[in-house]
Amino acid sequence: MSSSTYDPARPRTGAVVVGDAAAPEQSAVSWAAIIAGAVVACAASLILIAVGAGLGFSSISPWHDEGISAGTLGLMTVVWLIVVQWVASGVGGYVTGRLRTRWLSVHHDEVFFRDTAHGLLAWAIATLFTVGLLASAVTGAVSTAGRVAGSVGEGATQVASSVAGAVSPYDMDTLFRSAQPGGTNAPNPNGETNEQATQEVMTIVANAISTGQLPAGDRDYLAQLVAARTGVSVDDARTRVDQTFTKAREAAQRAQEAADTARKAAAKLALFTALAMLIGAFVASAGAAYGGSLRDDHH
């Protein structure tokens, strides 16, 4: 039997047998190559993110009916996230595979596994670097979704409280508008200032929005307050109160719909971000395997 033939009975002394010579056993992990690939992937990600941000800002406009829609911008963002992961991870994985130390007398299947693992490690380190440099941009997107969902889940009371300000100054002026143009409002029977009366109205309206209806007692009280201050009849004052409450309720509904839309958009962004990262992990592993194969073939 040739001395170069593998003999299971031959004692193992921590060396890798190469022909008749014994070479020192090498580590299965080439950290230098992994870090180098991660740095390249991180730099490529930052460049591509900057390019995507520039394209995005150039596509939107503060002017009405100009620029792309929010839906189109969201789709472009998702596509660009995938492109960033695909390109940056592929380049980083390839560099990792080409720079890793050659493993002598290691089975081809084991070499393939190590290369893919190196690409995965390079992708993971690059992702951590990129997130850190971008002040946790990806984590911020996910946490934004959580904050939006939490604010929506706190119930209609808090939404209504925030929407109490939706009773615009114009609506409040309409509510307390004097019966005579250019006239002044009569003093409040309770001695309240205009600010106090306004705050009282907004508090009552906010409570009505949270419960879904304006109680008859509150409705009559507001009507009497408006009638006393403006000089209009109680019936006209009651009509004003009803109109103000309807506008506030519609504003609260729009706020809830906007919050729900933001929640859904944030959830989709988080899911597509996770998908893009999974694609990046796969591409980095495949790139490292390809680069490692070329490195061994050209050695």
Side-chain angles (χ1 to χ4, degrees), residues 239-263:
T239 300
R240 291 187 181 186
V241 170
D242 292 340
Q243 291 175 345
T244 301
F245 171 67
T246 299
K247 290 181 179 179
R249 184 171 54 187
E250 291 174 351
Q253 181 66 27
R254 289 194 297 269
Q256 288 177 314
E257 291 174 354
D260 188 57
T261 300
R263 175 188 63 81

Side-chain angles (χ1 to χ4, degrees), residues 141-142 144-146 148-149 260-273:
V142 177
T144 298
V148 172
D260 188 57
T261 300
R263 175 188 63 81
K264 293 178 180 179
K268 290 181 180 179
L269 178 61
L271 292 175
F272 280 114
T273 298

Side-chain angles (χ1 to χ4, degrees), residues 47-70:
I47 293 174
L48 292 173
I49 289 174
V51 172
L55 294 175
F57 283 124
S58 64
S59 301
I60 59 178
S61 173
W63 306 107
H64 184 62
D65 292 334
E66 293 187 12
I68 62 176
S69 63

Side-chain angles (χ1 to χ4, degrees), residues 16 37 102 107 116 145 165 168 205 215 222 248 251 266-267:
V16 176
R102 188 185 185 200
H107 194 276
T116 55
S168 65
V205 171
L222 291 178

Side-chain angles (χ1 to χ4, degrees), residues 49-92:
I49 289 174
V51 172
L55 294 175
F57 283 124
S58 64
S59 301
I60 59 178
S61 173
W63 306 107
H64 184 62
D65 292 334
E66 293 187 12
I68 62 176
S69 63
T72 303
L73 180 61
L75 179 60
M76 290 176 56
T77 301
V78 170
V79 172
W80 194 252
L81 280 175
I82 296 177
V83 171
V84 169
Q85 283 290 311
W86 192 294
V87 176
S89 299
V91 172

